[in-house]
Structure formats: C-alpha cells, structure tokens
Amino acid sequence: QVAAGSGLKVGEKVSRQTLQEAANRLAATGLFAKVRYRYSSQGTNVALQFQVADAPTVPVTFDNFPWFTNEQLDQIIHQSVGLFDGTAPEHGSYDDAIAAAIQKKLSSLGIPGRVEHRVMEQLVGTGLELQFRLVGPTINVGSVEFTDPLANHDERIRERLQDVIGKPFSRYYINLFVTEQVRPIYLSQGYLSVKFGPPKARFSGNPDQPQLGKVLVIVPVTRG
C-alpha cells in the first residue's frame, strides 16, 4: 500500500526525476517524517528501495455523521485509502484522501455537503486529535437516552438535556455535554471509574429520507 502511494508501477519507464517525484508524493502524504530512496541497476531494470521514518500521528474523530457508526466510517476509509488504523498525521494529502473517501460515500447516498478536517485539543486527556466534520445539511437531535438508569432518571441531567435537544447533531458537543454535565453526577455518587462510549445515532421519521429527519442519540454508560 505504501508502494502504491508512490505512484510507481513495476514495468514502467523511469528517470531520476520520476523517482524523485515518487519520493515527493510519499512525503506529501504526511505519513512519513523522512523519505529517502536508493536504486541499483539490474541490466535494463532498476531495483528501487524507499527508506522512510514514520511521522507522528494523532487520533481521528468523526463529528456530525449520524448516518454511520465510527466502525462503519473506519471501514469506509480503510477500503478506499488503506493503512488506516484510527490515527493520521496532522497535515498532508493522506488526510485529504480520508475526507475524499467519506465524501464519496455521502455522495453515493445523495447527502450534500463538504467534508472538512481540523486539528483540535482532545476533550478528555491531553494532546491533539484530527476531527472530520460535514459542512452541509443540519440534522437536529430529537432526544437523548443513556444505557444506564442513573443518567436517564437524574433530574439535574434531564434539565440540562435542553442544551443538546433541538440542536445540530455533533458527537463532539454531545461528548462535551457528557463530560461537563453527566460525568460529575456519577463521580459525586462514587462511580469513579465510570466510562462513556461514543454516542450512537438512530434516525426517526421517514427511513427512506434520513437526511430530513431527527436523530435519537444513545450514549453508552458503564458505571464501573
């Protein structure tokens, strides 16, 4: 997959310029901090070897794609781009290729908009993340449920849900709500190891036109 990213194919004619351009393409992906190459002649053929060093990567997150789970988006990207392991460099053509893979899938479903990516601070923990989001149709949150009865029945949480319900669906802002409003309730009751899974979205309304409906958000909770 890395070799394919160079743009070279076995059997094609090459020159010094061709080899340098191939190295430049690999460097432009952002996946490598260093790209070098060397070659040796074998009659009329050339044996080419790339010497690369991995570049630092950050976790990839997906913001407002209620049509897919994170696992489905991982699969879409891996099928199109390859090498995807849930992380990506902060900059480079590899990130653009991920956005293009998601864009292609959305277009096949008739969903308009433009996929963008940006580097931002992680909500939980330290470090950065690379967030992909859709600039386009707004899908609002119709309701929010938790998989644990404590969160579903706590009055303080139910009152603050109006900060999310009726607003555009965004996994980032739902996670922010959980971190600031829900997690402290569990900590105050002694559930110090509580964990919250990625928010899941289910469409209400016409299943044949999900982009026109609202979403039910389900937040997995493990008390610990």
Side-chain angles (χ1 to χ4, degrees), residues 5-195:
S6 71
L8 295 177
K9 297 180 180 179
V10 174
E12 70 174 305
K13 294 183 178 181
V14 295
S15 63
R16 287 179 180 271
Q17 181 179 351
T18 304
L19 301 183
Q20 185 60 55
E21 290 172 350
N24 292 344
R25 276 193 290 272
L26 288 179
T29 65
L31 289 170
F32 307 109
K34 179 175 63 177
V35 178
R36 295 179 178 176
Y37 70 91
R38 63 184 181 186
Y39 64 91
S40 60
S41 298
Q42 299 177 343
T44 58
N45 294 326
V46 168
L48 174 65
Q49 181 187 78
F50 286 106
Q51 299 171 322
V52 300
D54 288 339
T57 58
V58 296
V60 167
T61 60
F62 308 106
D63 185 32
N64 56 343
F65 303 96
W67 307 276
F68 314 105
T69 64
N70 287 345
E71 293 75 17
Q72 289 172 327
L73 285 167
D74 286 347
Q75 185 177 11
I76 290 168
I77 294 167
H78 197 275
Q79 288 176 345
S80 177
V81 180
L83 299 175
F84 184 67
D85 63 354
T87 67
E90 294 181 29
H91 307 284
S93 63
Y94 185 75
D95 300 345
D96 296 333
I98 292 176
I102 301 174
Q103 185 87 59
K104 181 178 179 181
K105 184 62 176 181
L106 292 173
S107 298
S108 72
L109 298 175
I111 300 171
R114 182 180 70 260
V115 177
E116 295 183 344
H117 53 82
R118 59 183 178 179
V119 177
M120 56 196 304
E121 294 284 344
Q122 294 187 34
L123 268 179
V124 179
T126 58
L128 302 174
E129 67 182 30
L130 180 65
Q131 183 197 81
F132 288 83
R133 61 190 302 270
L134 178 65
V135 179
T138 299
I139 307 297
N140 291 331
V141 175
S143 60
V144 179
E145 295 181 2
F146 301 87
T147 60
D148 184 69
L150 172 58
N152 277 329
H153 301 306
D154 187 271
E155 288 299 326
R156 291 164 292 182
I157 294 176
R158 303 311 299 180
E159 289 177 0
R160 294 308 301 268
L161 279 178
Q162 300 308 312
D163 296 343
V164 177
I165 295 175
K167 304 297 192 301
F169 173 81
S170 165
R171 285 189 171 91
Y172 177 84
Y173 286 109
I174 292 170
N175 286 330
L176 180 62
F177 173 83
V178 169
T179 300
E180 294 184 345
Q181 304 298 334
V182 183
R183 181 179 175 84
I185 301 299
Y186 279 84
L187 297 182
S188 69
Q189 298 198 26
Y191 296 105
L192 305 183
S193 299
V194 63
K195 296 184 183 300

